Amino acid sequence: MSEADLLDARIWPVFAIALGLLGMSFTLGGKPERWGICVLIFMLIAQGMIVSFFTGGIYFSDIDPASLTADVVGLAGFTVILCNARRLWPIAAFALQLLAVLGHFLQSISEMVAYTYVTFKSYPTMSIVIIVAIAALAHQWRLRAKGEDPDWVPYTEYAKFRRIARDLQEL
């Protein structure tokens, strides 16, 4: 994101809505939703640090290294959440983040139009903000309906799968 983008008045309402959704999700969500918000914030910090320290201006005819790094960090974070959370939303977050990472590689081999590249690298992450907000509301609904909503897959479940895999190998 360049300095000219930050000065554009049309982008501030989007940031305000995203910040409001993240705040609501952090207060209403369970631990997986909070970890998802932490991944999104870490992506923003990583991108800001790389832009300010290591890159010059961003030209959308080339790969944006700061955004690529942030998207790879997000992909790794959502992969960890996907493997451990008892939620469905991390599947969608992982898929959208993978789409963002693939958009960078597509730009490197095909010279996409600038608007297409910006769409590939920005909209999936903004969609994840909305998904996490919906997941936080669903967490509250499950708490009211059932009285509980387990956050993480217990280690005993992994142990069962390992035991089954070991038994299958012995056959």
Side-chain angles (χ1 to χ4, degrees), residues 10 12 29 33-34 37 49 56 58 75 101 106 111 116 123 134 144 155:
R10 294 175 293 180
W12 286 106
E33 289 80 19
R34 289 184 185 136
I37 292 166
M49 286 180 11
I58 295 172
L75 184 66
V101 171
L106 186 60
E111 292 293 323
T116 306
Y123 288 157
I134 293 169
R144 287 189 182 104
Y155 180 74

PDB file of all heavy atoms in Angstrom, residues 10 12 29 33-34 37 49 56 58 75 101 106 111 116 123 134 144 155:
ATOM      1  N   ARG A  10     -11.478   7.299   0.318  1.00  0.00           N
ATOM      2  CA  ARG A  10     -12.421   6.196   0.121  1.00  0.00           C
ATOM      3  C   ARG A  10     -12.006   4.937   0.858  1.00  0.00           C
ATOM      4  O   ARG A  10     -12.824   4.060   1.104  1.00  0.00           O
ATOM      5  CB  ARG A  10     -12.564   5.890  -1.372  1.00  0.00           C
ATOM      6  CG  ARG A  10     -13.214   7.010  -2.148  1.00  0.00           C
ATOM      7  CD  ARG A  10     -13.206   6.714  -3.601  1.00  0.00           C
ATOM      8  NE  ARG A  10     -11.806   6.747  -4.046  1.00  0.00           N
ATOM      9  CZ  ARG A  10     -11.415   6.534  -5.284  1.00  0.00           C
ATOM     10  NH1 ARG A  10     -12.291   6.262  -6.204  1.00  0.00           N
ATOM     11  NH2 ARG A  10     -10.150   6.589  -5.618  1.00  0.00           N
ATOM     12  N   TRP A  12     -10.599   4.742   3.980  1.00  0.00           N
ATOM     13  CA  TRP A  12     -10.748   4.816   5.432  1.00  0.00           C
ATOM     14  C   TRP A  12     -12.033   4.187   5.953  1.00  0.00           C
ATOM     15  O   TRP A  12     -12.013   3.544   7.015  1.00  0.00           O
ATOM     16  CB  TRP A  12     -10.585   6.253   5.917  1.00  0.00           C
ATOM     17  CG  TRP A  12      -9.144   6.653   5.858  1.00  0.00           C
ATOM     18  CD1 TRP A  12      -8.567   7.488   4.942  1.00  0.00           C
ATOM     19  CD2 TRP A  12      -8.091   6.184   6.686  1.00  0.00           C
ATOM     20  NE1 TRP A  12      -7.210   7.581   5.163  1.00  0.00           N
ATOM     21  CE2 TRP A  12      -6.895   6.786   6.240  1.00  0.00           C
ATOM     22  CE3 TRP A  12      -8.024   5.319   7.770  1.00  0.00           C
ATOM     23  CZ2 TRP A  12      -5.660   6.552   6.832  1.00  0.00           C
ATOM     24  CZ3 TRP A  12      -6.793   5.089   8.363  1.00  0.00           C
ATOM     25  CH2 TRP A  12      -5.640   5.693   7.897  1.00  0.00           C
ATOM     26  N   GLY A  29     -15.844 -13.797  20.021  1.00  0.00           N
ATOM     27  CA  GLY A  29     -15.368 -15.076  19.512  1.00  0.00           C
ATOM     28  C   GLY A  29     -14.689 -15.929  20.571  1.00  0.00           C
ATOM     29  O   GLY A  29     -14.321 -15.459  21.648  1.00  0.00           O
ATOM     30  N   GLU A  33     -11.220 -17.968  16.959  1.00  0.00           N
ATOM     31  CA  GLU A  33     -11.501 -16.681  16.318  1.00  0.00           C
ATOM     32  C   GLU A  33     -10.475 -15.628  16.754  1.00  0.00           C
ATOM     33  O   GLU A  33     -10.010 -14.826  15.941  1.00  0.00           O
ATOM     34  CB  GLU A  33     -12.917 -16.211  16.643  1.00  0.00           C
ATOM     35  CG  GLU A  33     -14.000 -17.019  15.971  1.00  0.00           C
ATOM     36  CD  GLU A  33     -14.321 -18.334  16.672  1.00  0.00           C
ATOM     37  OE1 GLU A  33     -13.978 -18.497  17.864  1.00  0.00           O
ATOM     38  OE2 GLU A  33     -14.902 -19.206  16.017  1.00  0.00           O
ATOM     39  N   ARG A  34     -10.104 -15.647  18.029  1.00  0.00           N
ATOM     40  CA  ARG A  34      -9.095 -14.701  18.513  1.00  0.00           C
ATOM     41  C   ARG A  34      -7.740 -14.968  17.868  1.00  0.00           C
ATOM     42  O   ARG A  34      -7.020 -14.031  17.524  1.00  0.00           O
ATOM     43  CB  ARG A  34      -8.995 -14.785  20.035  1.00  0.00           C
ATOM     44  CG  ARG A  34     -10.203 -14.212  20.717  1.00  0.00           C
ATOM     45  CD  ARG A  34     -10.052 -14.209  22.211  1.00  0.00           C
ATOM     46  NE  ARG A  34     -11.291 -13.745  22.805  1.00  0.00           N
ATOM     47  CZ  ARG A  34     -11.865 -14.299  23.844  1.00  0.00           C
ATOM     48  NH1 ARG A  34     -11.301 -15.328  24.439  1.00  0.00           N
ATOM     49  NH2 ARG A  34     -12.996 -13.818  24.311  1.00  0.00           N
ATOM     50  N   ILE A  37      -7.819 -13.560  14.428  1.00  0.00           N
ATOM     51  CA  ILE A  37      -7.615 -12.109  14.444  1.00  0.00           C
ATOM     52  C   ILE A  37      -6.144 -11.792  14.653  1.00  0.00           C
ATOM     53  O   ILE A  37      -5.593 -10.891  14.024  1.00  0.00           O
ATOM     54  CB  ILE A  37      -8.500 -11.464  15.530  1.00  0.00           C
ATOM     55  CG1 ILE A  37      -9.963 -11.603  15.130  1.00  0.00           C
ATOM     56  CG2 ILE A  37      -8.131 -10.006  15.751  1.00  0.00           C
ATOM     57  CD1 ILE A  37     -10.934 -11.333  16.226  1.00  0.00           C
ATOM     58  N   MET A  49       5.907  -3.526   8.215  1.00  0.00           N
ATOM     59  CA  MET A  49       7.340  -3.505   8.494  1.00  0.00           C
ATOM     60  C   MET A  49       8.142  -3.710   7.222  1.00  0.00           C
ATOM     61  O   MET A  49       9.147  -3.036   6.996  1.00  0.00           O
ATOM     62  CB  MET A  49       7.703  -4.578   9.523  1.00  0.00           C
ATOM     63  CG  MET A  49       7.266  -4.203  10.916  1.00  0.00           C
ATOM     64  SD  MET A  49       7.642  -5.387  12.233  1.00  0.00           S
ATOM     65  CE  MET A  49       8.730  -6.560  11.565  1.00  0.00           C
ATOM     66  N   GLY A  56      10.647  -0.070  -1.648  1.00  0.00           N
ATOM     67  CA  GLY A  56      10.328   1.300  -2.019  1.00  0.00           C
ATOM     68  C   GLY A  56       8.835   1.384  -2.282  1.00  0.00           C
ATOM     69  O   GLY A  56       8.028   0.813  -1.570  1.00  0.00           O
ATOM     70  N   ILE A  58       5.283   0.636  -4.236  1.00  0.00           N
ATOM     71  CA  ILE A  58       4.678  -0.592  -4.737  1.00  0.00           C
ATOM     72  C   ILE A  58       4.150  -0.314  -6.138  1.00  0.00           C
ATOM     73  O   ILE A  58       3.386   0.614  -6.352  1.00  0.00           O
ATOM     74  CB  ILE A  58       3.531  -1.043  -3.816  1.00  0.00           C
ATOM     75  CG1 ILE A  58       4.089  -1.397  -2.461  1.00  0.00           C
ATOM     76  CG2 ILE A  58       2.799  -2.223  -4.429  1.00  0.00           C
ATOM     77  CD1 ILE A  58       3.031  -1.670  -1.431  1.00  0.00           C
ATOM     78  N   LEU A  75      -1.173 -17.600   5.459  1.00  0.00           N
ATOM     79  CA  LEU A  75      -1.440 -18.979   5.056  1.00  0.00           C
ATOM     80  C   LEU A  75      -0.914 -19.952   6.102  1.00  0.00           C
ATOM     81  O   LEU A  75      -1.605 -20.908   6.476  1.00  0.00           O
ATOM     82  CB  LEU A  75      -0.822 -19.263   3.691  1.00  0.00           C
ATOM     83  CG  LEU A  75      -1.092 -20.639   3.096  1.00  0.00           C
ATOM     84  CD1 LEU A  75      -2.576 -20.799   2.780  1.00  0.00           C
ATOM     85  CD2 LEU A  75      -0.268 -20.842   1.838  1.00  0.00           C
ATOM     86  N   VAL A 101      -2.195 -16.082  -2.102  1.00  0.00           N
ATOM     87  CA  VAL A 101      -0.810 -16.462  -2.393  1.00  0.00           C
ATOM     88  C   VAL A 101      -0.666 -16.873  -3.857  1.00  0.00           C
ATOM     89  O   VAL A 101       0.293 -16.493  -4.536  1.00  0.00           O
ATOM     90  CB  VAL A 101      -0.341 -17.586  -1.441  1.00  0.00           C
ATOM     91  CG1 VAL A 101       1.002 -18.150  -1.874  1.00  0.00           C
ATOM     92  CG2 VAL A 101      -0.258 -17.073  -0.015  1.00  0.00           C
ATOM     93  N   LEU A 106       0.636 -16.113  -9.869  1.00  0.00           N
ATOM     94  CA  LEU A 106       0.043 -15.874 -11.177  1.00  0.00           C
ATOM     95  C   LEU A 106       0.555 -14.564 -11.768  1.00  0.00           C
ATOM     96  O   LEU A 106       0.832 -14.480 -12.967  1.00  0.00           O
ATOM     97  CB  LEU A 106      -1.483 -15.867 -11.060  1.00  0.00           C
ATOM     98  CG  LEU A 106      -2.278 -15.778 -12.334  1.00  0.00           C
ATOM     99  CD1 LEU A 106      -1.962 -16.972 -13.230  1.00  0.00           C
ATOM    100  CD2 LEU A 106      -3.760 -15.738 -12.028  1.00  0.00           C
ATOM    101  N   GLU A 111       1.846 -11.510 -15.863  1.00  0.00           N
ATOM    102  CA  GLU A 111       1.673 -10.070 -16.012  1.00  0.00           C
ATOM    103  C   GLU A 111       0.191  -9.683 -16.081  1.00  0.00           C
ATOM    104  O   GLU A 111      -0.304  -9.196 -17.092  1.00  0.00           O
ATOM    105  CB  GLU A 111       2.408  -9.549 -17.255  1.00  0.00           C
ATOM    106  CG  GLU A 111       3.901  -9.629 -17.154  1.00  0.00           C
ATOM    107  CD  GLU A 111       4.488  -8.702 -16.112  1.00  0.00           C
ATOM    108  OE1 GLU A 111       3.981  -7.582 -15.960  1.00  0.00           O
ATOM    109  OE2 GLU A 111       5.438  -9.122 -15.438  1.00  0.00           O
ATOM    110  N   THR A 116      -6.599  -6.598 -11.514  1.00  0.00           N
ATOM    111  CA  THR A 116      -6.781  -8.021 -11.229  1.00  0.00           C
ATOM    112  C   THR A 116      -5.827  -8.462 -10.127  1.00  0.00           C
ATOM    113  O   THR A 116      -6.209  -9.206  -9.221  1.00  0.00           O
ATOM    114  CB  THR A 116      -6.544  -8.854 -12.500  1.00  0.00           C
ATOM    115  OG1 THR A 116      -7.366  -8.353 -13.541  1.00  0.00           O
ATOM    116  CG2 THR A 116      -6.839 -10.313 -12.257  1.00  0.00           C
ATOM    117  N   TYR A 123      -8.797  -8.798  -1.782  1.00  0.00           N
ATOM    118  CA  TYR A 123     -10.158  -9.214  -1.440  1.00  0.00           C
ATOM    119  C   TYR A 123     -10.237 -10.498  -0.619  1.00  0.00           C
ATOM    120  O   TYR A 123     -11.092 -10.588   0.261  1.00  0.00           O
ATOM    121  CB  TYR A 123     -11.024  -9.317  -2.689  1.00  0.00           C
ATOM    122  CG  TYR A 123     -11.385  -7.978  -3.286  1.00  0.00           C
ATOM    123  CD1 TYR A 123     -11.731  -7.862  -4.614  1.00  0.00           C
ATOM    124  CD2 TYR A 123     -11.373  -6.820  -2.529  1.00  0.00           C
ATOM    125  CE1 TYR A 123     -12.058  -6.629  -5.171  1.00  0.00           C
ATOM    126  CE2 TYR A 123     -11.690  -5.599  -3.071  1.00  0.00           C
ATOM    127  CZ  TYR A 123     -12.042  -5.514  -4.383  1.00  0.00           C
ATOM    128  OH  TYR A 123     -12.366  -4.302  -4.925  1.00  0.00           O
ATOM    129  N   ILE A 134     -18.476 -13.455  11.306  1.00  0.00           N
ATOM    130  CA  ILE A 134     -19.621 -14.371  11.288  1.00  0.00           C
ATOM    131  C   ILE A 134     -19.358 -15.554  12.206  1.00  0.00           C
ATOM    132  O   ILE A 134     -20.251 -16.007  12.933  1.00  0.00           O
ATOM    133  CB  ILE A 134     -19.926 -14.824   9.838  1.00  0.00           C
ATOM    134  CG1 ILE A 134     -20.426 -13.632   9.017  1.00  0.00           C
ATOM    135  CG2 ILE A 134     -20.941 -15.954   9.826  1.00  0.00           C
ATOM    136  CD1 ILE A 134     -20.497 -13.900   7.531  1.00  0.00           C
ATOM    137  N   ARG A 144     -25.123 -20.046  23.496  1.00  0.00           N
ATOM    138  CA  ARG A 144     -26.487 -19.858  24.015  1.00  0.00           C
ATOM    139  C   ARG A 144     -27.343 -21.103  23.803  1.00  0.00           C
ATOM    140  O   ARG A 144     -28.160 -21.453  24.653  1.00  0.00           O
ATOM    141  CB  ARG A 144     -27.140 -18.659  23.354  1.00  0.00           C
ATOM    142  CG  ARG A 144     -26.573 -17.350  23.843  1.00  0.00           C
ATOM    143  CD  ARG A 144     -27.383 -16.160  23.338  1.00  0.00           C
ATOM    144  NE  ARG A 144     -26.774 -14.935  23.793  1.00  0.00           N
ATOM    145  CZ  ARG A 144     -26.051 -14.130  23.046  1.00  0.00           C
ATOM    146  NH1 ARG A 144     -25.853 -14.407  21.772  1.00  0.00           N
ATOM    147  NH2 ARG A 144     -25.532 -13.023  23.536  1.00  0.00           N
ATOM    148  N   TYR A 155      -6.043 -33.461  22.304  1.00  0.00           N
ATOM    149  CA  TYR A 155      -4.925 -34.301  21.884  1.00  0.00           C
ATOM    150  C   TYR A 155      -5.326 -35.771  21.842  1.00  0.00           C
ATOM    151  O   TYR A 155      -4.784 -36.538  21.058  1.00  0.00           O
ATOM    152  CB  TYR A 155      -3.727 -34.111  22.812  1.00  0.00           C
ATOM    153  CG  TYR A 155      -2.553 -34.954  22.401  1.00  0.00           C
ATOM    154  CD1 TYR A 155      -1.801 -34.602  21.288  1.00  0.00           C
ATOM    155  CD2 TYR A 155      -2.243 -36.118  23.073  1.00  0.00           C
ATOM    156  CE1 TYR A 155      -0.740 -35.391  20.873  1.00  0.00           C
ATOM    157  CE2 TYR A 155      -1.177 -36.909  22.668  1.00  0.00           C
ATOM    158  CZ  TYR A 155      -0.431 -36.538  21.574  1.00  0.00           C
ATOM    159  OH  TYR A 155       0.603 -37.322  21.163  1.00  0.00           O
TER     160      TYR A 155
END
